[in-house]
Amino acid sequence: MIARILKWLMLLQVLAVLGLAYLAMQAWGVVSPMLAVLLALATLLAARALIVVRNFWESRRLGSSVPPEYQLGVMGTMRLFFGELRATLWTSSWGMLRPRLHAADTIAGQGLPVLLVHGYVCNRGYWTKLSRQLARACIVHDGVDLEPIGADIEEFVPQVALAITELCARTGSDRVILVAHSMGGLVARAWLRHYGAARVARIITIGTPHHGTALANLAAGANARQMSRVDGTPSGWLAQLAASETPELRALITSIYSHHDNIVAPQSSAQLPGARNIAFGGIGHVALASDARVLRQLLAEITIKSEVVQPPSAPHFA
């Protein structure tokens, strides 16, 4: 569904560019058609950039304090902004338009199979870059497309359960690893509440608002309301989810997050007590699953052999 919506939005953007180019030639006296198109594209890009700026501004205004070791200078701030803008443009204008994953070289693969669970208003195309890394490592994996896009998070749980069953049947494995971005992490926790830990070895969440995000108050859908945070208080659904979890279940979860997340606000909402929390700096929300540093950490978490692993000794900077 989201791929179809994005294709229509892309068509509208193409028509908008052509309309702006025509206006530039007729009303502004631009002689060159190529220059007119470039000016129209620059206008569209500026509009997309303003949306990213607005999200960063809101997330910082409503955000948690950034530890001194993760503070960014001017260059780091610029890399943060342009990295998130690039990731947003690539994901919405290409990756999610073609929601395909890369196949591992062998069906047997290496280690446990991985199920990828996307976030709010996304599809499996969000995982293209991680999928390429997993395929190169011969790790069998698949993704789930959560629909309808504005549904209650509880409605996504059976979809994840079915995807796990099919992935286990295809690989002959009795367990999987769940890797989930943003809202997908809450879907994974909701699945864990309903089905228990028998079929999951590990859950890795990336940029998940475990305690809600104030920016969800501005979004549409039942799932957005469940992710909301009003006056510093998580939604009732989030509170019930947290109350249902035992220390043993929390110990299965690794939460990877960024102190500069531009959607999760406050950023500390991604820290989950009882889980293994791994912080990064200088990475935006959409860019989390395509940043090289996070991808290396994800592969390490997916292929980890030991039961207990010490957290990284040094912070991850931009």
Side-chain angles (χ1 to χ4, degrees), residues 255-278:
S255 177
I256 296 174
Y257 67 98
S258 171
H259 284 293
H260 298 97
D261 196 304
N262 55 312
I263 297 297
V264 177
Q267 290 74 20
S268 58
S269 175
Q271 298 174 0
L272 187 63
R276 181 170 180 251
N277 294 285
I278 301 175

Side-chain angles (χ1 to χ4, degrees), residues 12-23 36-38 40-42 44:
L12 289 176
Q13 290 181 76
V14 170
L15 293 176
V17 166
L18 294 176
L20 286 171
Y22 178 80
L23 180 64
V37 170
L38 289 175
L41 285 171
L44 179 62

